Amino acid sequence: METNAPKRRDNKKSLRVKVISLGNAEVGKSCIIKRYCEKRFVPKYLATIGIDYGVTKVQVRDREIKVNIFDMAGHPFFYEVRNEFYKDSQGVLLVYDVGLRESFGALDSWLGEMKQEMGSQANMDSIVFVVCANKVDLTKRRVVDEGEGRLWAESRGFHYFETSAQSGEGINEMFQAFFSSITDMCENGGKRPVSEVSVGFTKEQADTIRRIRNSKDSWDMLGVKPGATREEVNKAYRKLAVLLHPDKCVAPGSEDAFKAVVNARTSLLKNIK
Ligand code: GTP
Ligand code: MG
């Protein structure tokens, strides 16, 4: 039977979201977005002036998502312009250049700037973060390895992807995971789904691996004072071995950290009477 009832619009099927890109100048934020939206790469550096804005439509399962992309300038000079644009974001692309350690180190400051500008709105659990370790095509100049980047990201409940805007590696996979997580979050009442936050390793494990990577010598690595006794070295070793044993610990970099601890203990015990 024909009726004159207006067609029911299924609001569940369309969604509008806002995403932003963050990271130091020249790490490749604009190129990553351009590679995804326009399928091309621009080798010449054209610094973003303040903000670039674009809209794209994507399909996630049965939903059409309208994505508003705010591509931020990384240069400190544009702080006054970009600080307006943090609020109401559902997704953040955090980008660093795997060949520039300071761009990796700067990720904490970018999160800090974002929290500060969002003020009381700063509920980081309602935002999906994806870390892009970019420029992986330039293998010879790489200084931040996958384990280190992945650990930083996953210990915070963030996604981690290795990307190259130049070759396209990782770009589609990264955006698909990004938009699908944002959709999950919106369907989950604005909270990041728990499965993503739980990463299968503890903060203590992540912090210990980071500490081991940055230790200056074998004493420091085991967390004992120079000149410690055999018992002290063995006790410290056992504690770390339990925490980091590859059968027990799935944190990125745990295997290398475990091996380093075994070697540190061996070399210390050789020289202790
Ligand atoms: P700001 O807008 O100043 O914050 O910089 P941005 O992060 O947007 O950097 P942009 O995307 O403009 O890229 C900076 C430079 O890095 C450009 O010369 C790009 O061609 C180059 N670049 C970006 N991504 C890659 C990549 O994956 N591989 C290589 N080899 N070069 C890249
Ligand atoms: Mg840019």
Side-chain angles (χ1 to χ4, degrees), residues 26-31 41-43 45 48 74 134-135 137 165-166:
E26 237 176 296
V27 294
K29 300 178 294 298
S30 303
C31 284
F41 174 68
V42 185
Y45 175 42
T48 303
N134 194 40
K135 306 199 188 183
D137 56 289
Q166 193 247 31

Side-chain angles (χ1 to χ4, degrees), residues 7-154:
K7 271 193 191 149
R8 193 168 62 91
R9 283 187 58 186
D10 194 344
N11 287 333
K12 223 192 136 206
K13 291 219 164 138
S14 64
L15 203 64
R16 265 166 184 269
V17 301
K18 171 183 172 181
V19 304
I20 59 175
S21 65
L22 293 184
N24 279 5
E26 237 176 296
V27 294
K29 300 178 294 298
S30 303
C31 284
I32 287 174
I33 294 165
K34 204 164 271 149
R35 164 61 79 183
Y36 179 72
C37 295
E38 298 173 23
K39 312 270 174 279
R40 64 193 181 103
F41 174 68
V42 185
K44 191 168 179 283
Y45 175 42
L46 298 163
T48 303
I49 309 296
I51 302 276
D52 268 346
Y53 170 71
V55 188
T56 186
K57 278 186 184 160
V58 294
Q59 189 75 26
V60 177
R61 301 185 289 272
D62 61 340
R63 285 196 152 195
E64 187 179 80
I65 321 285
K66 191 171 172 189
V67 188
N68 295 280
I69 306 177
F70 293 80
D71 175 26
M72 308 266 212
H75 199 283
F77 179 77
F78 295 111
Y79 167 69
E80 295 292 341
V81 185
R82 61 172 186 259
N83 65 7
E84 297 291 319
F85 290 89
Y86 283 112
K87 53 184 182 297
D88 302 323
S89 306
Q90 277 95 16
V92 176
L93 287 182
L94 274 172
V95 184
Y96 69 92
D97 174 346
V98 295
L100 290 174
R101 180 157 287 281
E102 69 265 28
S103 72
F104 176 60
L107 296 182
D108 281 312
S109 324
W110 283 103
L111 283 181
E113 181 175 303
M114 178 171 181
K115 274 188 201 160
Q116 184 189 315
E117 293 312 317
M118 287 173 50
S120 58
Q121 256 210 354
N123 183 358
M124 299 306 216
D125 291 344
S126 316
I127 300 170
V128 172
F129 287 88
V130 174
V131 175
C132 300
N134 194 40
K135 306 199 188 183
V136 292
D137 56 289
L138 301 173
T139 46
K140 285 205 182 117
R141 66 186 272 283
R142 182 161 190 166
V143 291
V144 185
D145 69 21
E146 178 176 351
E148 203 176 349
R150 193 177 277 285
L151 185 67
W152 188 92
E154 294 185 353

Side-chain angles (χ1 to χ4, degrees), residues 155-222:
S155 60
R156 288 165 174 77
F158 300 171
H159 293 273
Y160 171 87
F161 282 88
E162 303 241 302
T163 58
S164 166
Q166 193 247 31
S167 70
E169 181 183 338
I171 302 287
N172 283 342
E173 295 87 329
M174 180 273 288
F175 275 105
Q176 267 162 22
F178 189 38
F179 296 141
S180 140
S181 277
I182 293 175
T183 309
D184 290 346
M185 190 187 68
C186 293
E187 289 174 351
N188 196 33
K191 286 265 169 241
R192 241 188 288 165
V194 175
S195 60
E196 271 179 40
V197 180
S198 120
V199 289
F201 56 88
T202 63
K203 182 166 184 307
E204 186 188 6
Q205 287 171 325
D207 290 346
T208 305
I209 293 169
R210 212 170 286 126
R211 191 186 62 70
I212 287 169
R213 280 173 175 275
N214 296 331
S215 57
K216 57 181 192 296
D217 56 29
S218 299
W219 303 108
D220 191 29
M221 186 175 287
L222 288 185

